[in-house]
Amino acid sequence: MGIYRSTKNPIITPADINPSHAEFKIAGVFNCRVTMFNGEILLLMRVAETPLNNNPIKKLVPLLDVCTGKYIIKEFDATDSAIDLSDSRLVKTPFGQYLTSISHLRIARSKNGIDFIIDKKPAMFPDNEYERLGIEDPRITHINDRFYISYSSISDLTGVTVSLASTTDFITFKRHGIIFTPDNKDVAIFPEKINGKFYALNRPASAEYAARDIWISRSSDLVCWGNHLRLIGVRQGFWDNGRIGCGAVPFRTKQGWMEIYHGSSRENKYCIGAVLLDIDKPWEVIARSVMPLMEPEKDYEVNGFFGNVVFTCGVLYEEGIVNIYYGAADTSISYAKIWLKDLLYHLR
Amino acid sequence: MGIYRSTKNPIITPADINPSHAEFKIAGVFNCRVTMFNGEILLLMRVAETPLNNNPIKKLVPLLDVCTGKYIIKEFDATDSAIDLSDSRLVKTPFGQYLTSISHLRIARSKNGIDFIIDKKPAMFPDNEYERLGIEDPRITHINDRFYISYSSISDLTGVTVSLASTTDFITFKRHGIIFTPDNKDVAIFPEKINGKFYALNRPASAEYAARDIWISRSSDLVCWGNHLRLIGVRQGFWDNGRIGCGAVPFRTKQGWMEIYHGSSRENKYCIGAVLLDIDKPWEVIARSVMPLMEPEKDYEVNGFFGNVVFTCGVLYEEGIVNIYYGAADTSISYAKIWLKDLLYHLR
């Protein structure tokens, strides 16, 4: 296959991140987007925090109090049989679902792409009713000197929506509101217009029909989206038979738009694959990974906050090399690379 | 309250409709939109059909074969304990969910608003992979001599999406594709631009967080939608504590935009209520029904294909009178009216 993991993996771990609040600890630093900014490699990372808790009988859930703008902690009785804690990420109650961690976005910078300096403070925090349970999994698309950030907003009141923000300096961020209704996530906006229109990959979740497929949508202004089409679906009998979602922002190659996506099996093993889309008609599929491009193998990919996961939001393509920054086991960030020619061979 | 049901109710029943295929029977003619066209009152109705079946051990499911454009029938063993038939509208299997009926859209016309002549043939049929299980619950918005029809497209592959079509003559219909990703339904487009933008009410369904609330979205072109905001939610302790969705296209009053919506209790009793929205800022709520405006009372509302339902997609406001065409028990169409002044008193 010719995929090379860094020997320094994982390159960023929870120990590298300081919590945003004294009463929190870092549960994970993972799904990140990568972009070039001011001659450096910049990662916008999802940082998940959990409340400090020494009492195994209590399950603590952090959430945003929209009125005060502060985090509050909701307590559950971990021994209550009506509460389902079987998924380490969730607290499922008869009256609704919560997350065991709350995520914000944090920046890391590097000259060489492996050794990163991490900002002490969050870049973006949850701040409204749509973000009560956190903001997650950013993708950055660089268009006309503005960086557009699509990210997941999670709320027990409003579900999982996709919001858009933008920045020119990665210091101040302008919020543009919600661009996809619940439930949707994993939105990656193409880096240039195609025949005068913007396109975005996205992953709606049907409440009634259990489809977890990748769709493609069209826009004139990046805020209003329509002409929604189902692009690729989960595949019975394949590694991606459970759910799929876009990973990185697609990049242009001579052969077509290259999209690195994630797929999970029904057993929740998350792998990375690729799909090649027509350059002028990105809703047409040219090729798709029969086998995964990467699967969880290393200890740091198999064990963690939510194990057996490799998941990318961020790929940097430069001079024939596809640089993949990926979340491992919902805990840390790792790096791998593959030559484009090998990737195309994989998709032959 | 001052709400007057017609003594001729139900005004349209399954017996009035001829099936689209010899092997089908009419299960219901219900949720319809009403508009004035060529000096007549025109209803665009949802007609649900089920396959003829004399074998109680079989459960038959109709669906569209996209390749041939014809309906096919899927058979299930009604005695199989793995299949859940507890909801008369659904067949739930371990491998997915189907509908027991398939819906198309049909036109009825009237001079007096009570006695209708019904087209022999469907106006719109399901015709693509997004509509494999039928098309449902149309709303019509009249803008600049075009009638825009937003309707639910149902598919076991792609979930519940909202599609847009338009017509000038109610003979040929132009399809504009999918305007809201799954799951979403109950879309009503406001009849005029507000501060240069179109607005639409819609009802996304969160897969993960169980919210079934009414949202409002913005558009420049009726096809691409964004700036999604949650408008009103279900209310604990009220008649609409289960799920809510918009009903009719809102109409302009001096006091604000009047929206007649539906709400169900957790026990699936569907009632009709009203919400008044600010005329310039339709995302701001002025008033909302504390008690339902209408609830299922009459035999034709209590008993039917899915009983205990009054549900409207269509309201015609003329000279102080709100004419409500509503689906009763997912079986037939009925008519009721209320004076606007009484409706405003109800909302005081």
Side-chain angles (χ1 to χ4, degrees):
Chain A
M1 177 78 71
I3 193 145
Y4 298 92
R5 287 167 169 86
S6 169
T7 55
K8 290 192 171 180
N9 277 351
I11 58 171
I12 303 177
T13 72
D16 301 323
I17 314 282
N18 63 309
S20 69
H21 294 78
E23 62 272 30
F24 279 6
K25 68 177 198 295
I26 304 296
V29 48
F30 43 121
N31 310 333
C32 65
R33 170 59 184 157
V34 57
T35 194
M36 293 302 297
F37 179 68
N38 280 351
E40 290 184 312
I41 293 169
L42 181 147
L43 298 182
L44 188 62
M45 310 176 297
R46 171 177 169 193
V47 172
E49 298 177 294
T50 51
L52 293 168
N53 180 16
N54 293 318
N55 186 345
I57 293 184
K58 283 186 190 167
K59 192 74 196 175
L60 303 184
V61 161
L63 46 80
L64 177 75
D65 180 333
V66 177
C67 297
T68 63
K70 290 190 162 55
Y71 285 167
I72 53 174
I73 309 292
K74 220 174 154 79
E75 279 189 22
F76 292 92
D77 178 352
T79 64
D80 182 348
S81 61
I83 292 175
D84 178 359
L85 300 172
S86 59
D87 185 321
S88 62
R89 302 167 298 184
L90 302 174
V91 175
K92 293 183 184 174
T93 84
F95 309 103
Q97 175 176 303
Y98 298 91
L99 300 180
T100 54
S101 65
I102 189 162
S103 292
H104 66 261
L105 307 185
R106 189 86 66 105
I107 288 169
R109 297 161 214 263
S110 173
K111 298 283 185 199
N112 65 7
I114 298 291
D115 302 297
F116 281 87
I117 296 169
I118 293 151
D119 282 5
K120 293 290 176 218
K121 291 193 172 169
M124 287 184 71
F125 249 129
D127 89 340
N128 56 53
E129 69 162 324
Y130 305 96
E131 303 177 353
R132 266 168 58 97
L133 304 186
I135 57 177
E136 304 181 353
D137 301 358
R139 276 87 177 173
I140 307 174
T141 303
H142 189 186
I143 301 170
N144 298 338
D145 294 330
R146 260 199 117 73
F147 296 87
Y148 289 90
I149 302 159
S150 52
Y151 62 93
S152 301
S153 298
I154 321 287
S155 169
D156 53 323
L157 298 176
T158 57
V160 180
T161 52
V162 178
S163 299
L164 185 70
S166 70
T167 186
T168 54
D169 56 11
F170 286 97
I171 297 167
T172 57
F173 297 85
K174 183 178 175 186
R175 276 174 150 92
H176 302 280
I178 292 175
I179 58 173
F180 287 92
T181 50
D183 280 348
N184 207 318
K185 54 167 42 177
D186 297 330
V187 166
I189 299 168
F190 284 66
E192 54 187 276
K193 283 188 178 179
I194 302 165
N195 298 321
K197 297 285 182 185
F198 295 109
Y199 286 84
L201 304 175
N202 60 97
R203 211 291 297 282
S206 169
E208 315 283 353
Y209 290 92
R212 298 288 183 279
D213 300 333
I214 298 179
W215 289 53
I216 185 165
S217 305
R218 207 173 77 186
S219 177
S220 296
D221 61 5
L222 298 171
V223 170
C224 295
W225 295 87
N227 292 102
H228 309 290
L229 295 170
R230 180 170 167 264
L231 180 67
I232 56 172
V234 299
R235 292 179 295 187
Q236 301 318 314
F238 284 75
W239 57 277
D240 49 1
N241 67 355
R243 50 180 65 197
I244 56 175
C246 87
V249 169
F251 61 91
R252 177 186 272 274
T253 72
K254 275 185 200 160
Q255 290 76 13
W257 291 104
M258 184 66 77
E259 164 61 17
I260 309 294
Y261 75 97
H262 71 266
S264 84
S265 66
R266 292 212 176 124
E267 295 74 35
N268 272 336
K269 179 182 175 186
Y270 279 77
C271 298
I272 290 173
V275 59
L276 189 66
L277 307 174
D278 185 272
I279 208 78
D280 295 314
K281 298 175 185 166
W283 56 89
E284 291 187 1
V285 175
I286 298 170
R288 179 176 175 187
S289 295
V290 174
M291 301 294 289
L293 191 62
M294 280 183 76
E295 50 190 316
E297 287 171 7
K298 302 287 184 184
D299 176 62
Y300 53 86
E301 296 164 346
V302 172
N303 299 305
F305 182 61
F306 191 75
N308 257 329
V309 173
V310 292
F311 184 108
T312 185
C313 306
V315 159
L316 200 60
Y317 175 63
E318 284 184 320
E319 298 174 16
I321 295 174
V322 184
N323 300 281
I324 301 174
Y325 292 86
Y326 65 97
D330 276 16
T331 301
S332 57
I333 292 175
S334 284
Y335 167 87
K337 70 179 171 187
I338 183 170
W339 270 260
L340 178 62
K341 65 176 172 44
D342 290 346
L343 180 51
L344 290 167
Y345 183 76
H346 161 83
L347 285 172
R348 76 197 175 281
Chain B
M1 176 78 70
I3 193 146
Y4 299 92
R5 287 166 168 86
S6 170
T7 55
K8 289 192 172 180
N9 278 351
I11 58 171
I12 303 177
T13 73
D16 301 323
I17 313 282
N18 63 309
S20 68
H21 294 78
E23 64 271 32
F24 278 7
K25 67 177 199 294
I26 303 296
V29 49
F30 44 120
N31 309 335
C32 65
R33 170 60 186 157
V34 58
T35 193
M36 294 301 298
F37 179 68
N38 280 353
E40 290 184 312
I41 292 169
L42 181 147
L43 299 182
L44 188 63
M45 311 177 296
R46 171 177 169 191
V47 172
E49 298 177 293
T50 51
L52 293 169
N53 180 17
N54 293 319
N55 186 345
I57 294 185
K58 283 186 190 167
K59 192 74 195 176
L60 303 184
V61 161
L63 48 81
L64 177 74
D65 180 334
V66 178
C67 297
T68 63
K70 292 190 162 56
Y71 286 167
I72 53 173
I73 309 293
K74 220 174 155 80
E75 278 189 24
F76 292 92
D77 178 354
T79 64
D80 182 347
S81 62
I83 292 175
D84 177 0
L85 300 172
S86 58
D87 185 320
S88 62
R89 302 168 296 184
L90 302 174
V91 175
K92 292 183 184 173
T93 84
F95 308 103
Q97 175 176 304
Y98 298 92
L99 299 181
T100 55
S101 65
I102 189 162
S103 293
H104 65 261
L105 307 185
R106 190 85 67 105
I107 288 170
R109 297 161 213 266
S110 173
K111 298 283 185 202
N112 65 8
I114 298 292
D115 302 296
F116 281 86
I117 296 170
I118 294 152
D119 282 5
K120 293 289 174 218
K121 291 194 173 169
M124 287 184 71
F125 249 129
D127 89 339
N128 56 52
E129 70 162 323
Y130 304 96
E131 302 177 353
R132 266 168 58 97
L133 304 186
I135 57 178
E136 304 182 352
D137 300 359
R139 277 86 177 174
I140 306 174
T141 303
H142 189 186
I143 300 170
N144 298 338
D145 294 331
R146 259 199 117 73
F147 296 88
Y148 289 89
I149 301 159
S150 52
Y151 61 94
S152 301
S153 298
I154 321 287
S155 169
D156 53 324
L157 297 177
T158 57
V160 180
T161 52
V162 179
S163 299
L164 185 71
S166 70
T167 185
T168 54
D169 56 12
F170 286 96
I171 298 167
T172 57
F173 297 85
K174 183 177 174 187
R175 277 175 150 92
H176 302 279
I178 292 175
I179 58 173
F180 286 92
T181 50
D183 280 350
N184 208 318
K185 53 169 39 178
D186 297 330
V187 166
I189 299 168
F190 284 67
E192 55 187 274
K193 283 187 177 179
I194 301 164
N195 298 321
K197 297 285 182 185
F198 294 110
Y199 287 84
L201 304 175
N202 60 97
R203 213 289 299 280
S206 170
E208 315 283 354
Y209 292 92
R212 298 289 182 277
D213 300 332
I214 298 180
W215 289 53
I216 185 166
S217 305
R218 206 173 79 185
S219 177
S220 295
D221 62 5
L222 298 170
V223 170
C224 294
W225 294 86
N227 291 101
H228 310 291
L229 295 170
R230 179 169 166 263
L231 180 68
I232 55 172
V234 300
R235 293 179 296 187
Q236 301 318 314
F238 284 76
W239 57 277
D240 50 2
N241 67 356
R243 50 179 65 197
I244 56 175
C246 86
V249 169
F251 61 91
R252 177 187 271 276
T253 72
K254 274 185 203 160
Q255 290 78 12
W257 290 104
M258 184 67 78
E259 164 61 16
I260 310 295
Y261 75 97
H262 70 266
S264 84
S265 66
R266 292 213 176 123
E267 295 74 35
N268 271 336
K269 179 181 176 186
Y270 280 77
C271 299
I272 290 173
V275 60
L276 189 65
L277 307 175
D278 186 271
I279 208 79
D280 296 313
K281 298 175 186 167
W283 56 90
E284 291 187 0
V285 175
I286 297 169
R288 179 176 175 187
S289 295
V290 174
M291 301 294 288
L293 191 62
M294 279 184 76
E295 50 190 316
E297 288 172 7
K298 302 288 184 182
D299 177 62
Y300 53 86
E301 297 164 347
V302 172
N303 299 305
F305 182 61
F306 191 76
N308 258 329
V309 172
V310 292
F311 184 109
T312 185
C313 307
V315 159
L316 199 62
Y317 175 63
E318 284 184 321
E319 298 175 16
I321 295 173
V322 183
N323 300 279
I324 301 174
Y325 292 86
Y326 65 97
D330 276 15
T331 301
S332 57
I333 292 175
S334 284
Y335 167 85
K337 69 178 171 187
I338 183 170
W339 270 260
L340 178 63
K341 64 176 173 43
D342 290 345
L343 180 52
L344 290 167
Y345 183 76
H346 161 83
L347 285 173
R348 77 199 174 280

Short mmCIF file of all heavy atoms in Angstrom, two decimals, chain B residues 71-102:
data_model
loop_
_atom_site.label_atom_id
_atom_site.label_comp_id
_atom_site.label_asym_id
_atom_site.label_seq_id
_atom_site.Cartn_x
_atom_site.Cartn_y
_atom_site.Cartn_z
N TYR B 71 -44.31 0.30 -10.04
CA TYR B 71 -44.40 -0.15 -8.65
C TYR B 71 -44.10 -1.64 -8.57
O TYR B 71 -44.49 -2.41 -9.44
CB TYR B 71 -45.81 0.08 -8.11
CG TYR B 71 -46.14 1.53 -7.79
CD1 TYR B 71 -47.45 1.92 -7.55
CD2 TYR B 71 -45.14 2.50 -7.71
CE1 TYR B 71 -47.77 3.24 -7.25
CE2 TYR B 71 -45.45 3.81 -7.41
CZ TYR B 71 -46.77 4.18 -7.19
OH TYR B 71 -47.09 5.48 -6.89
N ILE B 72 -43.41 -2.04 -7.51
CA ILE B 72 -43.26 -3.45 -7.21
C ILE B 72 -43.79 -3.70 -5.80
O ILE B 72 -43.96 -2.76 -5.01
CB ILE B 72 -41.79 -3.93 -7.31
CG1 ILE B 72 -40.86 -3.04 -6.47
CG2 ILE B 72 -41.32 -3.95 -8.75
CD1 ILE B 72 -39.44 -3.53 -6.39
N ILE B 73 -44.08 -4.95 -5.51
CA ILE B 73 -44.65 -5.31 -4.20
C ILE B 73 -43.66 -6.20 -3.48
O ILE B 73 -43.21 -7.21 -4.01
CB ILE B 73 -45.99 -6.07 -4.38
CG1 ILE B 73 -46.93 -5.32 -5.31
CG2 ILE B 73 -46.63 -6.34 -3.01
CD1 ILE B 73 -47.44 -4.02 -4.79
N LYS B 74 -43.31 -5.80 -2.27
CA LYS B 74 -42.43 -6.60 -1.43
C LYS B 74 -43.32 -7.34 -0.42
O LYS B 74 -44.22 -6.74 0.16
CB LYS B 74 -41.49 -5.65 -0.69
CG LYS B 74 -40.04 -6.10 -0.56
CD LYS B 74 -39.22 -4.97 0.07
CE LYS B 74 -38.01 -5.51 0.78
NZ LYS B 74 -36.90 -5.83 -0.11
N GLU B 75 -43.05 -8.62 -0.23
CA GLU B 75 -43.89 -9.41 0.67
C GLU B 75 -43.19 -9.69 1.99
O GLU B 75 -42.01 -10.04 2.01
CB GLU B 75 -44.22 -10.77 0.03
CG GLU B 75 -45.35 -10.72 -0.95
CD GLU B 75 -45.76 -12.14 -1.38
OE1 GLU B 75 -45.51 -13.11 -0.62
OE2 GLU B 75 -46.33 -12.23 -2.47
N PHE B 76 -43.91 -9.53 3.08
CA PHE B 76 -43.39 -9.91 4.39
C PHE B 76 -44.34 -10.91 5.04
O PHE B 76 -45.55 -10.90 4.77
CB PHE B 76 -43.25 -8.67 5.29
CG PHE B 76 -42.18 -7.72 4.82
CD1 PHE B 76 -42.50 -6.67 3.96
CD2 PHE B 76 -40.86 -7.90 5.20
CE1 PHE B 76 -41.52 -5.80 3.52
CE2 PHE B 76 -39.88 -7.03 4.75
CZ PHE B 76 -40.20 -5.98 3.91
N ASP B 77 -43.78 -11.74 5.90
CA ASP B 77 -44.58 -12.71 6.65
C ASP B 77 -45.10 -12.01 7.91
O ASP B 77 -44.34 -11.68 8.82
CB ASP B 77 -43.68 -13.90 7.02
CG ASP B 77 -44.41 -14.94 7.86
OD1 ASP B 77 -45.57 -14.69 8.25
OD2 ASP B 77 -43.82 -16.00 8.12
N ALA B 78 -46.42 -11.78 7.93
CA ALA B 78 -47.01 -11.01 9.04
C ALA B 78 -46.91 -11.75 10.37
O ALA B 78 -47.07 -11.15 11.43
CB ALA B 78 -48.47 -10.68 8.73
N THR B 79 -46.61 -13.05 10.33
CA THR B 79 -46.51 -13.83 11.58
C THR B 79 -45.08 -13.86 12.11
O THR B 79 -44.82 -14.41 13.17
CB THR B 79 -47.00 -15.27 11.37
OG1 THR B 79 -46.13 -15.92 10.43
CG2 THR B 79 -48.42 -15.31 10.85
N ASP B 80 -44.14 -13.29 11.35
CA ASP B 80 -42.73 -13.28 11.75
C ASP B 80 -42.54 -12.33 12.94
O ASP B 80 -42.81 -11.13 12.83
CB ASP B 80 -41.89 -12.84 10.55
CG ASP B 80 -40.39 -12.86 10.84
OD1 ASP B 80 -40.01 -12.97 12.03
OD2 ASP B 80 -39.61 -12.73 9.89
N SER B 81 -42.08 -12.85 14.07
CA SER B 81 -41.99 -12.02 15.27
C SER B 81 -40.89 -10.96 15.16
O SER B 81 -40.87 -10.00 15.93
CB SER B 81 -41.73 -12.90 16.50
OG SER B 81 -40.49 -13.56 16.34
N ALA B 82 -40.01 -11.09 14.18
CA ALA B 82 -38.96 -10.08 14.00
C ALA B 82 -39.50 -8.82 13.31
O ALA B 82 -38.81 -7.81 13.23
CB ALA B 82 -37.80 -10.66 13.19
N ILE B 83 -40.73 -8.91 12.80
CA ILE B 83 -41.31 -7.78 12.07
C ILE B 83 -42.34 -7.07 12.95
O ILE B 83 -43.22 -7.71 13.51
CB ILE B 83 -41.93 -8.26 10.74
CG1 ILE B 83 -40.79 -8.73 9.83
CG2 ILE B 83 -42.75 -7.19 10.07
CD1 ILE B 83 -41.25 -9.34 8.55
N ASP B 84 -42.20 -5.75 13.06
CA ASP B 84 -43.06 -4.96 13.94
C ASP B 84 -44.13 -4.27 13.09
O ASP B 84 -43.82 -3.43 12.25
CB ASP B 84 -42.18 -3.93 14.67
CG ASP B 84 -42.99 -3.00 15.57
OD1 ASP B 84 -44.23 -3.14 15.64
OD2 ASP B 84 -42.36 -2.13 16.21
N LEU B 85 -45.38 -4.65 13.31
CA LEU B 85 -46.51 -4.08 12.55
C LEU B 85 -47.42 -3.26 13.47
O LEU B 85 -48.57 -3.01 13.14
CB LEU B 85 -47.32 -5.20 11.88
CG LEU B 85 -46.56 -6.09 10.89
CD1 LEU B 85 -47.41 -7.27 10.45
CD2 LEU B 85 -46.14 -5.27 9.67
N SER B 86 -46.89 -2.83 14.63
CA SER B 86 -47.76 -2.20 15.62
C SER B 86 -48.28 -0.84 15.16
O SER B 86 -49.33 -0.38 15.61
CB SER B 86 -47.01 -2.05 16.95
OG SER B 86 -45.83 -1.27 16.76
N ASP B 87 -47.57 -0.16 14.26
CA ASP B 87 -48.04 1.10 13.67
C ASP B 87 -48.61 0.75 12.29
O ASP B 87 -47.89 0.22 11.44
CB ASP B 87 -46.86 2.08 13.57
CG ASP B 87 -47.28 3.46 13.08
OD1 ASP B 87 -48.14 3.54 12.17
OD2 ASP B 87 -46.74 4.45 13.59
N SER B 88 -49.90 1.06 12.07
CA SER B 88 -50.57 0.63 10.84
C SER B 88 -49.91 1.21 9.59
O SER B 88 -50.11 0.71 8.49
CB SER B 88 -52.04 1.04 10.88
OG SER B 88 -52.16 2.46 10.95
N ARG B 89 -49.11 2.25 9.76
CA ARG B 89 -48.49 2.90 8.60
C ARG B 89 -47.16 2.26 8.20
O ARG B 89 -46.61 2.56 7.15
CB ARG B 89 -48.23 4.38 8.93
CG ARG B 89 -49.48 5.15 9.31
CD ARG B 89 -49.16 6.52 9.90
NE ARG B 89 -48.41 6.41 11.15
CZ ARG B 89 -48.07 7.44 11.91
NH1 ARG B 89 -48.41 8.67 11.54
NH2 ARG B 89 -47.40 7.28 13.03
N LEU B 90 -46.60 1.41 9.11
CA LEU B 90 -45.20 0.99 8.96
C LEU B 90 -45.01 -0.51 9.00
O LEU B 90 -45.77 -1.23 9.66
CB LEU B 90 -44.36 1.60 10.10
CG LEU B 90 -44.35 3.12 10.25
CD1 LEU B 90 -43.59 3.50 11.51
CD2 LEU B 90 -43.72 3.77 9.04
N VAL B 91 -43.98 -0.98 8.30
CA VAL B 91 -43.44 -2.32 8.50
C VAL B 91 -41.99 -2.12 8.95
O VAL B 91 -41.15 -1.65 8.18
CB VAL B 91 -43.48 -3.15 7.20
CG1 VAL B 91 -42.79 -4.50 7.39
CG2 VAL B 91 -44.92 -3.35 6.74
N LYS B 92 -41.71 -2.44 10.20
CA LYS B 92 -40.35 -2.27 10.72
C LYS B 92 -39.68 -3.64 10.75
O LYS B 92 -40.17 -4.56 11.40
CB LYS B 92 -40.39 -1.69 12.13
CG LYS B 92 -40.89 -0.25 12.19
CD LYS B 92 -40.82 0.28 13.62
CE LYS B 92 -41.41 1.68 13.71
NZ LYS B 92 -41.51 2.17 15.08
N THR B 93 -38.56 -3.75 10.04
CA THR B 93 -37.82 -5.01 10.02
C THR B 93 -36.43 -4.75 10.60
O THR B 93 -36.00 -3.59 10.71
CB THR B 93 -37.66 -5.55 8.58
OG1 THR B 93 -36.53 -4.91 7.96
CG2 THR B 93 -38.91 -5.28 7.74
N PRO B 94 -35.69 -5.82 10.95
CA PRO B 94 -34.33 -5.59 11.46
C PRO B 94 -33.42 -4.95 10.41
O PRO B 94 -32.37 -4.43 10.73
CB PRO B 94 -33.85 -7.01 11.80
CG PRO B 94 -35.09 -7.83 11.95
CD PRO B 94 -36.09 -7.23 11.01
N PHE B 95 -33.83 -4.98 9.14
CA PHE B 95 -32.96 -4.47 8.07
C PHE B 95 -33.48 -3.17 7.47
O PHE B 95 -32.99 -2.71 6.44
CB PHE B 95 -32.81 -5.54 6.98
CG PHE B 95 -32.40 -6.86 7.54
CD1 PHE B 95 -33.32 -7.90 7.69
CD2 PHE B 95 -31.10 -7.06 7.98
CE1 PHE B 95 -32.95 -9.11 8.23
CE2 PHE B 95 -30.72 -8.28 8.53
CZ PHE B 95 -31.64 -9.31 8.66
N GLY B 96 -34.49 -2.57 8.10
CA GLY B 96 -34.97 -1.30 7.58
C GLY B 96 -36.47 -1.18 7.73
O GLY B 96 -37.16 -2.11 8.13
N GLN B 97 -36.94 0.01 7.42
CA GLN B 97 -38.34 0.35 7.63
C GLN B 97 -39.02 0.60 6.28
O GLN B 97 -38.40 1.16 5.38
CB GLN B 97 -38.39 1.59 8.50
CG GLN B 97 -39.76 2.16 8.72
CD GLN B 97 -39.72 3.34 9.69
OE1 GLN B 97 -39.26 3.23 10.80
NE2 GLN B 97 -40.21 4.48 9.25
N TYR B 98 -40.26 0.18 6.14
CA TYR B 98 -41.03 0.43 4.93
C TYR B 98 -42.39 1.01 5.30
O TYR B 98 -42.77 1.00 6.46
CB TYR B 98 -41.22 -0.88 4.14
CG TYR B 98 -39.92 -1.48 3.69
CD1 TYR B 98 -39.26 -2.42 4.48
CD2 TYR B 98 -39.33 -1.10 2.49
CE1 TYR B 98 -38.05 -2.96 4.08
CE2 TYR B 98 -38.12 -1.63 2.09
CZ TYR B 98 -37.49 -2.57 2.89
OH TYR B 98 -36.29 -3.08 2.49
N LEU B 99 -43.11 1.49 4.29
CA LEU B 99 -44.46 1.99 4.51
C LEU B 99 -45.47 0.98 3.97
O LEU B 99 -45.21 0.32 2.95
CB LEU B 99 -44.64 3.34 3.80
CG LEU B 99 -43.72 4.48 4.24
CD1 LEU B 99 -44.04 5.74 3.45
CD2 LEU B 99 -43.86 4.74 5.73
N THR B 100 -46.62 0.89 4.62
CA THR B 100 -47.65 -0.04 4.16
C THR B 100 -48.45 0.53 2.99
O THR B 100 -49.23 -0.18 2.36
CB THR B 100 -48.62 -0.39 5.30
OG1 THR B 100 -49.16 0.83 5.83
CG2 THR B 100 -47.91 -1.14 6.42
N SER B 101 -48.28 1.84 2.72
CA SER B 101 -48.96 2.45 1.58
C SER B 101 -47.95 3.29 0.81
O SER B 101 -46.89 3.63 1.32
CB SER B 101 -50.11 3.35 2.06
OG SER B 101 -49.59 4.45 2.81
N ILE B 102 -48.29 3.60 -0.43
CA ILE B 102 -47.44 4.52 -1.22
C ILE B 102 -48.33 5.66 -1.70
O ILE B 102 -49.47 5.44 -2.15
CB ILE B 102 -46.73 3.78 -2.38
CG1 ILE B 102 -45.70 4.69 -3.06
CG2 ILE B 102 -47.71 3.19 -3.40
CD1 ILE B 102 -44.67 3.93 -3.89
#
